[in-house]
Amino acid sequence: NAGVTQTPKFQVLKTGQSMTLQCAQDMNHEYMSWYRQDPGMGLRLIHYSVGAGITDQGEVPNGYNVSRSTTEDFPLRLLSAAPSQTSVYFCASTRDSLNSPLHFGNGTRLTVT
Amino acid sequence: ILNVEQSPQSLHVQEGDSTNFTCSFPSSNFYALHWYRWETAKSPEALFVMTLNGDEKKKGRISATLNTKEGYSYLYIKGSQPEDSATYLCAPTSSGSARQLTFGSGTQLTVLP
Protein backbone atom coordinates (compact mmCIF):
# COMPACT_ATOMS: atom_id res chain seq x y z
CA ASN A 1 0.00 0.00 0.00
CA ALA A 2 1.77 3.14 -1.25
CA GLY A 3 -0.16 5.69 0.88
CA VAL A 4 0.56 9.28 -0.20
CA THR A 5 3.09 9.66 -3.01
CA GLN A 6 4.71 12.97 -3.88
CA THR A 7 6.91 13.69 -6.88
CA PRO A 8 9.48 15.00 -7.42
CA LYS A 9 11.51 14.77 -4.20
CA PHE A 10 13.77 17.67 -5.15
CA GLN A 11 13.40 20.49 -7.68
CA VAL A 12 15.36 23.62 -8.56
CA LEU A 13 13.58 26.34 -10.53
CA LYS A 14 14.57 29.71 -11.83
CA THR A 15 12.43 32.72 -10.95
CA GLY A 16 9.46 32.92 -13.29
CA GLN A 17 9.41 29.24 -14.26
CA SER A 18 6.31 27.15 -13.71
CA MET A 19 5.98 23.63 -12.45
CA THR A 20 3.55 21.16 -10.92
CA LEU A 21 4.12 19.19 -7.74
CA GLN A 22 2.32 15.89 -7.93
CA CYS A 23 0.44 14.19 -5.12
CA ALA A 24 -1.43 10.90 -5.33
CA GLN A 25 -3.05 8.72 -2.66
CA ASP A 26 -4.41 5.20 -2.95
CA MET A 27 -6.44 5.11 0.27
CA ASN A 28 -9.68 6.50 -1.21
CA HIS A 29 -9.37 9.57 1.02
CA GLU A 30 -11.76 12.41 0.32
CA TYR A 31 -9.70 15.12 2.04
CA MET A 32 -6.36 16.20 0.58
CA SER A 33 -4.19 19.17 1.41
CA TRP A 34 -0.90 20.92 0.66
CA TYR A 35 1.38 22.43 3.33
CA ARG A 36 4.63 24.28 3.15
CA GLN A 37 7.24 24.09 5.86
CA ASP A 38 9.64 26.93 6.50
CA PRO A 39 12.16 27.25 9.36
CA GLY A 40 10.54 28.72 12.46
CA MET A 41 7.12 28.82 10.79
CA GLY A 42 5.82 25.29 11.23
CA LEU A 43 3.49 23.78 8.65
CA ARG A 44 1.21 26.25 6.87
CA LEU A 45 -1.81 25.22 4.82
CA ILE A 46 -1.74 26.31 1.17
CA HIS A 47 -4.86 24.71 -0.35
CA TYR A 48 -7.12 21.83 0.49
CA SER A 49 -9.86 19.74 -1.07
CA VAL A 50 -12.76 17.88 0.55
CA GLY A 51 -13.54 15.83 -2.55
CA ALA A 52 -13.23 15.62 -6.31
CA GLY A 53 -14.16 18.91 -7.95
CA ILE A 54 -13.93 20.91 -4.68
CA THR A 55 -10.95 23.01 -3.61
CA ASP A 56 -10.47 25.84 -1.15
CA GLN A 57 -7.77 28.19 0.03
CA GLY A 58 -5.75 27.77 3.19
CA GLU A 59 -3.56 30.22 5.07
CA VAL A 60 -1.01 30.96 2.31
CA PRO A 61 -2.62 30.36 -1.12
CA ASN A 62 -1.06 33.21 -3.14
CA GLY A 63 1.12 32.04 -6.01
CA TYR A 64 -0.32 28.51 -6.04
CA ASN A 65 -3.17 26.83 -7.92
CA VAL A 66 -4.73 23.43 -7.34
CA SER A 67 -7.33 21.21 -8.96
CA ARG A 68 -8.98 17.94 -7.94
CA SER A 69 -10.31 16.13 -10.97
CA THR A 70 -10.09 12.69 -9.33
CA THR A 71 -10.24 11.41 -5.75
CA GLU A 72 -6.66 10.12 -6.04
CA ASP A 73 -4.75 13.15 -7.34
CA PHE A 74 -4.22 16.68 -6.01
CA PRO A 75 -1.51 18.52 -7.96
CA LEU A 76 -0.09 21.86 -6.81
CA ARG A 77 0.88 24.33 -9.54
CA LEU A 78 3.33 27.19 -9.28
CA LEU A 79 2.56 29.46 -12.25
CA SER A 80 5.53 31.82 -11.89
CA ALA A 81 8.00 30.71 -9.24
CA ALA A 82 9.46 33.25 -6.83
CA PRO A 83 12.37 32.88 -4.37
CA SER A 84 9.82 33.25 -1.53
CA GLN A 85 8.40 29.89 -2.62
CA THR A 86 11.61 28.10 -1.69
CA SER A 87 10.36 25.62 0.87
CA VAL A 88 9.58 22.00 1.63
CA TYR A 89 6.11 21.04 0.45
CA PHE A 90 4.02 18.27 2.00
CA CYS A 91 0.85 16.72 0.68
CA ALA A 92 -1.45 15.07 3.23
CA SER A 93 -4.75 13.23 3.10
CA THR A 94 -7.37 11.83 5.43
CA ARG A 95 -10.66 9.95 5.17
CA ASP A 96 -13.24 12.70 5.11
CA SER A 97 -12.94 15.01 8.10
CA LEU A 98 -10.37 16.27 10.53
CA ASN A 99 -11.38 13.92 13.33
CA SER A 100 -9.15 11.42 11.53
CA PRO A 101 -5.34 11.69 11.32
CA LEU A 102 -3.55 13.10 8.31
CA HIS A 103 -1.29 10.81 6.26
CA PHE A 104 1.66 12.75 4.88
CA GLY A 105 3.72 12.24 1.75
CA ASN A 106 7.52 12.31 1.90
CA GLY A 107 7.78 15.93 0.86
CA THR A 108 9.20 17.90 -2.07
CA ARG A 109 12.15 20.21 -1.46
CA LEU A 110 11.87 23.17 -3.86
CA THR A 111 14.53 25.80 -4.40
CA VAL A 112 13.81 28.88 -6.51
CA THR A 113 16.86 30.85 -7.59
CA ILE B 1 -6.32 30.70 11.42
CA LEU B 2 -6.10 29.69 15.08
CA ASN B 3 -3.50 30.97 17.54
CA VAL B 4 -1.58 27.85 18.59
CA GLU B 5 1.30 27.92 21.06
CA GLN B 6 3.57 25.04 21.95
CA SER B 7 6.01 25.08 24.82
CA PRO B 8 8.81 24.64 25.35
CA GLN B 9 10.26 25.33 21.91
CA SER B 10 13.04 22.82 22.55
CA LEU B 11 13.99 20.42 25.26
CA HIS B 12 16.99 18.22 26.08
CA VAL B 13 16.48 15.32 28.47
CA GLN B 14 18.56 12.36 29.56
CA GLU B 15 17.64 8.83 28.52
CA GLY B 16 15.18 7.42 31.02
CA ASP B 17 13.74 10.80 32.04
CA SER B 18 10.02 11.45 31.69
CA THR B 19 8.95 14.69 30.09
CA ASN B 20 5.92 16.62 28.93
CA PHE B 21 5.03 19.43 26.54
CA THR B 22 2.11 21.80 26.27
CA CYS B 23 -0.12 22.85 23.39
CA SER B 24 -2.40 25.87 23.94
CA PHE B 25 -5.23 26.80 21.57
CA PRO B 26 -8.46 28.82 21.57
CA SER B 27 -11.11 27.01 23.58
CA SER B 28 -14.10 28.40 21.68
CA ASN B 29 -15.73 26.22 18.99
CA PHE B 30 -13.26 23.39 19.54
CA TYR B 31 -13.56 20.47 17.07
CA ALA B 32 -10.44 18.29 17.27
CA LEU B 33 -6.78 18.30 18.27
CA HIS B 34 -4.06 16.36 16.47
CA TRP B 35 -0.57 15.40 17.73
CA TYR B 36 2.18 14.43 15.29
CA ARG B 37 5.73 13.19 15.68
CA TRP B 38 8.20 14.49 13.11
CA GLU B 39 11.67 13.00 12.82
CA THR B 40 14.38 14.83 10.90
CA ALA B 41 14.36 14.06 7.16
CA LYS B 42 11.04 12.24 7.44
CA SER B 43 7.40 13.28 7.19
CA PRO B 44 5.07 13.90 10.16
CA GLU B 45 3.47 10.81 11.63
CA ALA B 46 0.18 10.90 13.50
CA LEU B 47 0.19 10.10 17.21
CA PHE B 48 -3.29 11.02 18.39
CA VAL B 49 -6.51 12.71 17.33
CA MET B 50 -8.52 13.91 20.31
CA THR B 51 -12.04 15.28 20.21
CA LEU B 52 -13.61 15.14 23.68
CA ASN B 53 -12.88 17.21 26.78
CA GLY B 54 -11.05 15.01 29.27
CA ASP B 55 -9.84 12.64 26.54
CA GLU B 56 -6.74 10.65 27.40
CA LYS B 57 -4.92 8.68 24.70
CA LYS B 58 -1.94 6.38 25.03
CA LYS B 59 0.47 4.78 22.56
CA GLY B 60 3.27 2.84 24.22
CA ARG B 61 5.23 5.27 26.42
CA ILE B 62 3.52 8.33 24.93
CA SER B 63 0.22 9.68 26.23
CA ALA B 64 -1.82 12.83 25.83
CA THR B 65 -4.59 14.63 27.66
CA LEU B 66 -7.05 17.24 26.45
CA ASN B 67 -8.82 20.12 28.20
CA THR B 68 -11.10 21.83 25.71
CA LYS B 69 -12.67 24.18 28.26
CA GLU B 70 -9.37 25.90 29.03
CA GLY B 71 -7.77 25.24 25.65
CA TYR B 72 -4.74 23.06 26.29
CA SER B 73 -3.34 19.59 25.72
CA TYR B 74 -0.36 17.88 27.32
CA LEU B 75 1.84 15.26 25.68
CA TYR B 76 3.77 13.00 28.05
CA ILE B 77 6.69 10.72 27.29
CA LYS B 78 7.58 8.22 30.00
CA GLY B 79 11.15 6.92 30.19
CA SER B 80 12.47 8.82 27.15
CA GLN B 81 14.68 6.93 24.71
CA PRO B 82 17.06 8.35 22.07
CA GLU B 83 14.63 7.20 19.37
CA ASP B 84 12.02 9.58 20.85
CA SER B 85 14.14 12.50 19.60
CA ALA B 86 11.89 14.38 17.20
CA THR B 87 9.74 17.46 16.86
CA TYR B 88 6.27 17.05 18.31
CA LEU B 89 3.55 19.08 16.61
CA CYS B 90 0.05 19.82 17.76
CA ALA B 91 -2.70 21.03 15.46
CA PRO B 92 -6.20 22.05 16.58
CA THR B 93 -9.17 22.74 14.41
CA SER B 94 -12.34 24.58 15.33
CA SER B 95 -15.89 23.95 14.19
CA GLY B 96 -15.71 27.24 12.34
CA SER B 97 -12.77 26.00 10.30
CA ALA B 98 -13.30 22.26 10.59
CA ARG B 99 -11.65 21.63 7.26
CA GLN B 100 -8.36 23.29 8.24
CA LEU B 101 -5.70 22.29 10.75
CA THR B 102 -3.48 25.00 12.20
CA PHE B 103 -0.11 23.59 13.24
CA GLY B 104 1.93 24.90 16.12
CA SER B 105 5.67 25.45 15.64
CA GLY B 106 6.42 22.31 17.61
CA THR B 107 8.53 21.19 20.55
CA GLN B 108 11.92 19.81 19.50
CA LEU B 109 12.93 16.99 21.85
CA THR B 110 16.47 15.66 22.08
CA VAL B 111 17.05 12.61 24.26
CA LEU B 112 20.68 12.25 25.26
CA PRO B 113 22.04 8.72 25.78
Side-chain angles (χ1 to χ4, degrees):
Chain A
N1 196 346
V4 180
T5 303
Q6 285 184 240
T7 56
K9 289 186 180 178
F10 302 94
Q11 183 71 48
V12 179
L13 291 177
K14 292 189 189 316
T15 297
Q17 286 185 315
S18 62
M19 80 157 296
T20 299
L21 308 187
Q22 302 290 346
C23 176
Q25 52 88 14
D26 61 0
M27 297 173 282
N28 203 31
H29 285 170
E30 292 293 329
Y31 183 98
M32 296 186 74
S33 53
W34 277 101
Y35 291 87
R36 60 178 288 174
Q37 189 259 325
D38 302 295
M41 302 289 288
L43 288 165
R44 292 184 293 168
L45 182 65
I46 305 171
H47 285 283
Y48 66 98
S49 168
V50 299
I54 305 168
T55 63
D56 211 340
Q57 295 181 350
E59 181 185 353
V60 288
N62 291 342
Y64 307 96
N65 281 351
V66 292
S67 59
R68 185 95 180 271
S69 55
T70 67
T71 299
E72 293 78 21
D73 300 297
F74 191 44
L76 179 73
R77 295 184 188 85
L78 285 72
L79 297 178
S80 179
S84 60
Q85 294 178 304
T86 294
S87 189
V88 181
Y89 292 84
F90 286 96
C91 178
S93 71
T94 190
R95 277 202 312 257
D96 52 15
S97 70
L98 291 177
N99 55 14
S100 305
L102 288 175
H103 297 255
F104 282 84
N106 288 330
T108 296
R109 184 174 292 274
L110 175 68
T111 302
V112 183
T113 61
Chain B
I1 301 164
L2 302 177
N3 184 22
V4 184
E5 292 186 7
Q6 289 191 247
S7 61
Q9 198 170 17
S10 66
L11 189 57
H12 289 71
V13 301
Q14 291 294 135
E15 183 176 353
D17 286 351
S18 294
T19 187
N20 64 85
F21 332 127
T22 305
C23 173
S24 300
F25 52 87
S27 58
S28 58
N29 302 316
F30 174 85
Y31 183 75
L33 181 87
H34 294 220
W35 279 103
Y36 292 85
R37 180 172 178 274
W38 194 359
E39 288 182 74
T40 303
K42 295 189 177 180
S43 51
E45 185 181 311
L47 289 171
F48 307 114
V49 178
M50 309 175 79
T51 56
L52 298 175
N53 185 45
D55 244 357
E56 290 188 30
K57 301 261 186 178
K58 189 174 180 182
K59 191 174 187 176
R61 293 178 292 97
I62 304 176
S63 60
T65 61
L66 178 66
N67 183 322
T68 62
K69 295 189 187 309
E70 295 182 42
Y72 64 84
S73 176
Y74 294 138
L75 189 80
Y76 301 91
I77 303 179
K78 185 176 177 182
S80 303
Q81 299 296 309
E83 57 265 30
D84 295 329
S85 296
T87 296
Y88 292 83
L89 302 172
C90 74
T93 185
S94 68
S95 56
S97 61
R99 308 297 176 91
Q100 299 191 37
L101 281 177
T102 303
F103 281 85
S105 297
T107 293
Q108 187 175 20
L109 174 67
T110 304
V111 182
L112 304 168

